[in-house]
Amino acid sequence: MRTESCQPFGIPAHKDACGSQAYAPEGIIQKAVRAIKAYDPELYVITDVCMCEYTDHGHCGILDEEGVVLNDTTLTYLAKIALSHVEAGADMVAPSDMMDGRVEAIRLVLDENGFADVPIMSYAAKYASQFYGPFRDAAHSAPSFSDRKSYQMDPANGKEALREIEADIQEGADAIIIKPAMCYLDILQAAKERFDVPFCVYNVSGEYSMLMQAILNGWIKEDVIEETLVSFKRAGASMIITYFALMEGKRQYAQKQSRPL
């Protein structure tokens, strides 16, 4: 059984207030998923379900006239996004928006459309972190005003994460993501001891950039990558999303190319 997987993120050519390119049949992710599956049908594709990369205001949902995120209205859009990804061929969806009730909304829509077997991996514990900076710059997804602290979690609050994880499991989440990874391994360990579901940590762009800069400057050795990833496994991670996977993939490819016939 193959274990390779990928999680594509897209940058649309056009953004609007409702993030319409996030659920468009010919949206960038929908086209990418179809292309990936055509190239390698066995590759396991997990898609990120959110709106911040697709809205012109950079927030993860629909806003009212005063710029406040409308939680319940946003759920309808998130469910449309998830369904469009699965119809394109995604094997799993991972809602990262942090709206209350989105796992249940997505589960209902997928079930109603014949995708009851498609699992949901929820970003249940997504903190309002400074470590997202490099990704937001690359994806042009930083909020155009205010911040996301009203719907992402307070880094000082560990109990909230456990409540959010429990709620998402009750709504139908099959696996849970904790994001970022390095500063939140206590959350991972506490959750792993309490809940019997697979846990994934997201080793985010700022964490990757921080270590890579130190490696490139000769401050620490490249072995720090393995040391970091092992710490995630030690704390209880069943899965790891990391930019370092690309380095390992290139290394494995180079080894295969160098083998004698």
Side-chain angles (χ1 to χ4, degrees):
M1 180 174 139
R2 293 184 55 181
T3 58
E4 291 94 339
S5 65
C6 66
Q7 186 174 21
F9 291 85
I11 303 175
H14 168 72
K15 299 187 180 189
D16 54 34
C18 63
S20 61
Q21 285 300 301
Y23 51 85
E26 294 301 314
I28 185 65
I29 289 298
Q30 291 78 2
K31 291 167 67 174
V33 170
R34 288 194 292 269
I36 292 168
K37 283 297 186 179
Y39 176 75
D40 187 348
E42 293 186 29
L43 189 64
Y44 196 86
V45 179
I46 306 169
T47 57
D48 182 85
V49 177
C50 195
M51 302 182 69
C52 62
E53 295 166 62
Y54 304 90
T55 55
D56 53 13
H57 46 73
H59 280 282
C60 300
I62 305 300
L63 306 182
D64 66 11
E65 295 81 1
E66 298 180 354
V68 176
V69 178
L70 298 170
N71 187 98
D72 293 355
T73 302
T74 300
L75 300 184
T76 301
Y77 287 83
L78 294 171
K80 289 171 62 175
I81 296 168
L83 179 60
S84 72
H85 289 180
V86 174
E87 288 177 336
D91 299 293
M92 176 188 285
V93 292
S96 66
D97 55 281
M98 290 300 288
M99 297 297 116
D100 293 334
R102 87 272 206 214
V103 173
E104 182 177 21
I106 291 170
R107 183 75 274 160
L108 287 173
V109 166
L110 293 182
D111 290 357
E112 289 170 356
N113 285 274
F115 298 108
D117 293 334
V118 173
I120 298 172
M121 182 163 64
S122 173
Y123 288 70
K126 183 178 180 180
Y127 281 88
S129 172
Q130 295 300 315
F131 283 107
Y132 306 143
F135 174 87
R136 288 178 178 174
D137 288 344
H140 309 294
S141 64
S144 59
F145 66 93
S146 188
D147 53 42
R148 296 175 182 151
K149 292 182 179 179
S150 63
Y151 46 95
Q152 293 181 356
M153 292 195 297
D154 179 0
N157 193 337
K159 292 182 179 179
E160 182 184 18
L162 298 180
R163 290 196 296 268
E164 292 283 356
I165 291 169
E166 183 174 22
D168 282 7
I169 292 172
Q170 290 175 348
E171 290 178 21
D174 300 283
I176 297 295
I177 295 179
I178 293 172
K179 180 181 180 181
M182 293 174 67
C183 290
Y184 298 93
L185 294 184
D186 60 320
I187 304 299
L188 169 61
Q189 187 172 38
K192 184 71 174 180
E193 292 174 353
R194 182 168 172 178
F195 304 108
D196 187 22
V197 298
F199 281 90
C200 174
V201 290
Y202 199 136
N203 187 204
V204 300
S205 60
E207 297 171 317
Y208 167 81
S209 299
M210 180 173 62
L211 291 182
M212 282 304 300
Q213 190 66 30
I215 292 168
L216 293 173
N217 279 288
W219 300 332
I220 52 179
K221 294 182 178 181
E222 191 174 312
D223 293 349
V224 73
I225 298 173
E226 182 177 356
E227 183 179 349
T228 301
L229 299 179
V230 166
S231 75
F232 302 156
K233 295 293 292 184
R234 189 177 63 245
S238 302
M239 297 170 280
I240 301 170
I241 300 173
T242 178
Y243 295 88
F244 291 119
L246 182 60
M247 294 176 62
E248 180 60 25
K250 289 181 178 179
R251 187 179 292 113
Q252 290 181 7
Y253 177 78
Q255 290 175 348
K256 290 179 180 179
Q257 295 299 102
S258 65
R259 290 175 184 169
L261 294 176

